[in-house]
Amino acid sequence: GKKSLVECARFLPDGSGLVTGSSDGFIEIWDPDSRYTDLRQDLPYQKADEILMHDAAVLALAVSNDGAMIGTGSFDGMIKVWKVDDGKCLRQFENAHRGAISCLDFSDDASHVLSGSHDTTCREFGLRASRMLKEFRG
């Protein structure tokens, strides 16, 4: 079968895990107690093998300052925002970009997500408004 590889990784700010995004679209949170060789089993969705995922490779990922949310961006231009505790997808921006998303970050208060893409734009999305607020062109 096709071998998956990690495309991006971020530590949770409190040291409770390492988040990875992979070429197969999987988003996983690894356990520091196992030296990051096992998935965190205290997260009910991972224990039940319910994987957070995109339909395309996850190329960018961000963690909110409080560690409560993960933002992911994929090769097909989609952004998703996940809740770490229960694995729920809080927001999904389909066609956030016309190209692969190459970088992603949360605002300090985690109310906005900023993304950069191979389509030559940066875009700011409001999580409360559930829409793009600004576009920056290089």
Side-chain angles (χ1 to χ4, degrees):
K2 189 174 85 171
K3 182 135 174 71
S4 170
L5 48 105
V6 172
E7 296 280 358
C8 50
R10 293 278 181 277
F11 285 106
L12 291 176
D14 64 359
S16 67
L18 172 68
V19 185
T20 58
S22 301
S23 58
D24 57 9
F26 285 26
I27 300 118
E28 296 168 307
I29 303 175
W30 300 87
D31 190 348
D33 294 338
S34 70
R35 295 190 177 174
Y36 308 110
T37 58
D38 298 322
L39 294 179
R40 273 186 48 189
Q41 294 300 304
D42 63 312
L43 298 169
Y45 51 96
Q46 289 196 155
K47 190 175 179 98
D49 265 346
E50 295 166 7
I51 304 295
L52 311 182
M53 68 181 310
H54 280 258
D55 292 336
V58 176
L59 302 179
L61 98 88
V63 178
S64 61
N65 286 338
D66 63 3
M69 294 186 293
I70 298 167
T72 54
S74 56
F75 182 78
D76 60 2
M78 183 181 290
I79 294 171
K80 292 185 180 185
V81 177
W82 310 87
K83 192 170 174 193
V84 172
D85 285 348
D86 61 14
K88 292 216 176 356
C89 183
L90 301 174
R91 291 285 180 275
Q92 180 171 307
F93 298 100
E94 292 187 46
N95 306 311
H97 285 276
R98 289 181 309 280
I101 294 172
S102 53
C103 57
L104 196 67
D105 204 4
F106 282 98
S107 61
D108 284 344
D109 67 357
S111 65
H112 298 109
V113 174
L114 184 67
S115 58
S117 169
H118 294 184
D119 68 7
T120 73
T121 66
C122 283
R123 293 180 176 168
E124 181 182 7
F125 294 88
L127 298 185
R128 287 188 199 103
S130 293
R131 63 181 178 82
M132 183 177 68
L133 302 176
K134 256 184 230 170
E135 180 177 86
F136 308 91
R137 292 188 169 273

